[in-house]
Amino acid sequence: MSNVVSLEAQHVLPTYKRHPVVFVRGEGTRLFDENGKRYLDFLSGIGVCVLGHAHPGLAAVIAEQSKTLIHTSNLFYHPLQGRLAAKLAAMSGLQRTFFCNSGTEAVEACLKFARRYWYSKGIRNRTQYVALEHGFSGRTMGALSVTANAQYRDPFGPLIPGVTFIAQDDIQGLEAAVTDRTAAIIAEPIQGEGGVRPLSPAFAAAVERVTTATGTLLIADEIQCGLGRTGRPFHCQSFGWTPDLIPVGKAIGSGIPIGAALVAEHVAKEIVAGDHGTTYGGNLLSTRAALFVLDELDTLAPHVKAMGALLEQKLGALQQKHQVITAVKGAGLMQGLHLSVDALPVVEASLKAGLVVNRTAETVVRMLPPLIVGPADIEEAVGILDGALASATAGAAGTKRTAEQVNASR
Ligand SMILES: Cc1ncc(COP(=O)(O)O)c(C=O)c1O
């Protein structure tokens, strides 16, 4: 890192541990640092830049909108907002959208709307939530309250009371946790920050069954796994879920900050003017960008399915080679290499070799590439990971396992 940058960086609150690289430019699946070194981006700003970097079409609509009108506030309706809400309704089946600025804000909105639903119905004690162990829904106080990780929660208590966490596959625990005081269950169809852990079909079916039987609202947190990343508009569609609320963020603006809470009509009709708000929500620049992104995602869906299958296959082959890989988990272009050792040395060795991935849940190498990623990119990324695994885990890795051993651990 250059001296000037490192001096200035002292003014940035160090809430993140940062890698010693400064990216100054991007193009498609590539990033370039200040020394001109080229990297393959398999993280896309943590699942955000789905169209890759410096997408000419996205750049053009942002430029055009910025020269036309950027912001007027929510005191005034604009057709771009209606168009984006209609598009999201067509994708999700949820008829209404509340616009905000980030994933965590979308979660906050969903948590509030769930409580408002029961309050409006005159049922004032359905205020509690059920959430999942290893779940992550953001860092603001409400979202943090339904986020499991003690390291994130403990310094900031007391959080919202009445949140019960259950293990991902604990169907009996789920049935016991949902009571006549539960407003909503919140779950990520594929847990992201918790280590790329898809819900099992049996557990997902139990969630749908329990919410339907008890009337408990279902909040499907699709902020990381949704919006085309697994080849469908929303990953929960693969479970046949009918969520009442879906928070989205990250990919929707492909880098322009925007979030949205998607709301089913029966919930929406209990919400009145003044219940919730944010100055920037529905901002015309981000709305215009999101409309462009979602149109592109429609076209990309078959490509994502094909590239997801290829990535999964290549990572499976990598698992055969490296004993430290205990499992490959994920779907589509959201994949995690679960290791028996700390994943950080692998992430650092990859970065040195020109591949951007990250560590999550200590032992998982997470991949969230741009959805425009091509077969040559995948080939290159897996090649770099192969070398990084070999160098970073030398000593930890043992002999090659048999196919039976590998399959047993998947
Ligand atoms: C599933 C999930 N929900 C919520 C959030 C919070 O979103 P943001 O950090 O964009 O506000 C994240 C962020 O990683 C996430 O992965």
Side-chain angles (χ1 to χ4, degrees):
M1 219 189 290
S2 75
N3 259 347
V4 178
V5 172
S6 57
L7 283 176
E8 289 169 357
Q10 291 172 14
H11 296 284
V12 178
L13 198 67
T15 52
Y16 285 89
K17 284 183 192 148
R18 298 177 204 263
H19 294 284
V21 55
V22 179
F23 294 122
V24 293
R25 190 169 73 78
E27 196 180 320
T29 57
R30 305 288 159 166
L31 285 167
F32 299 85
D33 73 12
E34 56 186 345
N35 303 313
K37 181 175 168 183
R38 197 172 86 135
Y39 297 78
L40 177 54
D41 186 4
F42 258 49
L43 189 58
S44 57
I46 320 183
V48 167
C49 305
V50 281
L51 302 186
H53 301 286
H55 188 287
L58 181 58
V61 296
I62 293 169
E64 189 189 278
Q65 192 61 42
S66 71
K67 285 184 252 170
T68 309
L69 193 60
I70 292 181
H71 181 79
T72 54
S73 91
N74 280 308
L75 301 182
F76 308 94
Y77 170 75
H78 189 283
L80 281 174
Q81 298 163 341
R83 272 174 56 203
L84 182 57
K87 175 80 188 166
L88 288 163
M91 291 167 71
S92 66
L94 306 190
Q95 293 307 312
R96 303 273 175 169
T97 293
F98 171 83
F99 292 115
C100 51
N101 313 290
S102 67
T104 193
E105 281 183 50
V107 169
E108 292 294 332
C110 290
L111 296 174
K112 281 183 71 176
F113 295 157
R115 280 190 170 176
R116 181 52 153 129
Y117 172 80
W118 294 110
Y119 183 93
S120 302
K121 287 185 165 303
I123 303 171
R124 303 283 160 96
N125 65 354
R126 271 188 98 149
T127 57
Q128 301 184 349
Y129 303 99
V130 170
L132 299 193
E133 287 174 9
H134 302 287
F136 181 90
S137 281
R139 310 292 197 118
T140 50
M141 292 304 252
L144 189 59
S145 301
V146 294
T147 287
N149 191 327
Q151 195 193 329
Y152 298 156
R153 298 167 58 87
D154 289 354
F156 304 103
L159 300 175
I160 292 180
V163 180
T164 306
F165 289 96
I166 51 161
Q168 228 198 52
D169 277 322
D170 185 1
I171 293 175
Q172 277 185 344
L174 170 73
E175 287 163 350
V178 175
T179 70
D180 58 4
R181 301 216 40 204
T182 311
I185 298 178
I186 180 163
E188 297 157 84
I190 305 175
Q191 293 183 326
E193 301 307 305
V196 193
R197 297 152 52 94
L199 297 189
S200 70
F203 185 77
V207 169
E208 177 68 15
R209 179 169 46 74
V210 168
T211 48
T212 306
T214 60
T216 302
L217 299 179
L218 175 55
I219 305 173
D221 183 342
E222 292 269 356
I223 289 162
Q224 191 163 143
C225 65
L227 295 175
R229 183 150 290 283
T230 66
R232 330 173 160 70
F234 296 99
H235 191 69
C236 69
Q237 291 163 338
S238 71
F239 303 147
W241 276 8
T242 51
D244 305 283
L245 294 145
I246 301 181
V248 295
K250 288 191 186 279
I252 183 169
S254 194
I256 298 297
I258 172 170
L262 315 188
V263 186
E265 195 62 46
H266 58 277
V267 179
K269 78 178 183 11
E270 307 299 350
I271 291 159
V272 299
D275 272 351
H276 198 42
T278 170
T279 300
Y280 271 129
N283 169 280
L284 304 180
L285 189 70
S286 58
T287 307
R288 179 80 189 275
L291 268 168
F292 180 85
V293 172
L294 296 186
D295 282 346
E296 290 289 304
L297 290 186
D298 286 345
T299 326
L300 275 171
H303 174 78
V304 173
K305 282 195 179 123
M307 291 305 105
L310 181 65
L311 180 60
E312 218 175 308
Q313 178 212 322
K314 298 272 176 200
L315 294 176
L318 203 61
Q319 188 188 4
Q320 306 271 356
K321 249 180 113 174
H322 295 275
Q323 189 168 7
V324 288
I325 305 177
T326 58
V328 178
K329 292 188 185 173
L333 290 173
M334 177 173 183
Q335 295 288 339
L337 289 182
H338 290 241
L339 307 184
S340 56
V341 294
D342 185 356
L344 192 58
V346 179
V347 168
E348 286 172 344
S350 300
L351 189 64
K352 239 186 215 159
L355 175 71
V356 183
V357 288
N358 94 314
R359 174 180 74 160
T360 182
E362 308 296 325
T363 54
V364 178
V365 178
R366 175 174 51 175
M367 279 152 272
L368 295 163
L371 303 187
I372 54 158
V373 72
D377 294 323
I378 290 173
E379 194 73 49
E380 185 181 333
V382 174
I384 293 176
L385 280 170
D386 190 8
L389 280 158
S391 67
T393 64
T399 50
K400 218 168 123 180
R401 289 179 300 170
T402 63
E404 289 72 28
Q405 284 171 317
V406 171
N407 285 336
S409 66
R410 278 171 80 89

